[in-house]
Amino acid sequence: MKKALLLFSLVFASVIGLTDRAFAISNTDSANSEKPVILHISIIDNSAYTVSAIAETDLFLRRALPSARLISVKAHSSRFHNNEESIRQTILKQLRKRMDSNDVISHLVIDSHGNTFPDHRDGSNYTRLSHLGEISETEVNDELKAILAPVSDLFAKNAKVVFNSCLTFCGTSESAANRAHVFLNELGITDGQIYGAVVKEMDSVGGYIEKGALRRALLDWRQLRFFSAIGAALGLPMAYFFEHGSVVGYTADAALTTASITAVLHVGMQLIKRVFANDRSVNKGRLIIFKNGHVVSNTMVRKYDDKLKIYGAQCSAAFANF
C-alpha cells in the first residue's frame, strides 16, 4: 500500500511538474507572440556587408527597440560567383521556419546593395535590391513578392521600413514616393514610414554602439579570408615578378607580399568606413511617411543624425550613444 501511494505521489508530482513547465512554456510563447517583431534581412558579401557589421546592426536594433523581438535572417553571397536563386531560397527557408502566423512586424530592415535605374519603357524609375528583387512605380516584381510572401500579411499598419542600401530612392521626390507606396502597399502598411538612400551609404565601424565594434570588425574571419584570397591572387604573381632566384626566396616573398596586401585591405576597409561615414555627402536619404495610404511627409534626412526618426525609436539612458 505504501509503495502504491509512493508511486501515485511520484506520478502526480511528475504530472504537476509537466503541467507547470507546459504552462511556463505557453506563457513564454504568448509573451513572445505579443511582442512586436523586428525583421532584419541581410545579404552578407564579406565586403560592404560583413558578419561583424550585421551583428552590429542587430545589437543596435535590440538596444534601440528593447520592447520588440528581433528576428535576424541572413544569406551569404560571393563577389566572384552569385547564385541569386539560391540566396533567395535561403532567405525564404529561414522566414518560413522562424516567423509565426501570430507575429506582428513593427520594423523591416533590409541590408543589401541597392540602386535606382530608369525604366526606358515608360520613363519612370525602379529600385533594385540586389539578390532580392525590384520595385517599380507600379509593382513589386515576382522575385521580391515571393520572398515577402511568408510575411506579407504580418505587418502592423504603422510599421517602419529601412533600406540599408545605397541609392534606393534616387530620382524625383514623386518617383521615390510612388515606389515607396507600392512597396508598403504590398505589405499592407497604410500608416507607416520608409527610408531609402539617395546617395552612397557607408556604415562607420563602431558608429552604432561602441568602440569595441572596431575590434570585432578586425576579427571578422570571413572578411579576413575574403581579403586573404585577394592578397594571394595579387601577391603570388607579384612575388614571381620580383623574385626569380630560388624557391625559398620566392616562397618568402610570396608570403610577405600576400600578408601585406591582406593587412592593408583588411585594416584599410575599417579606416575607409570610418572616414567616409563622417563625410557629409554620404548617408543621405528620403524618409517618406504615409497616412491612410497617402504621403503626408517626404523629407531629406541624414542616416546617422536622424536615425531616431528613421527607426521610430526613442532616446534613452540605456542607449547613450544615440
Side-chain angles (χ1 to χ4, degrees), residues 100-111:
D100 187 85
S101 59
N102 293 322
D103 286 332
V104 177
I105 301 172
S106 63
H107 291 74
L108 171 63
V109 181
I110 298 179
D111 283 271

Side-chain angles (χ1 to χ4, degrees), residues 34-49:
E34 289 171 2
K35 275 190 169 186
V37 169
I38 307 166
L39 177 57
H40 183 197
I41 299 175
S42 313
I43 309 296
I44 301 173
D45 64 2
N46 298 315
S47 178
Y49 297 99

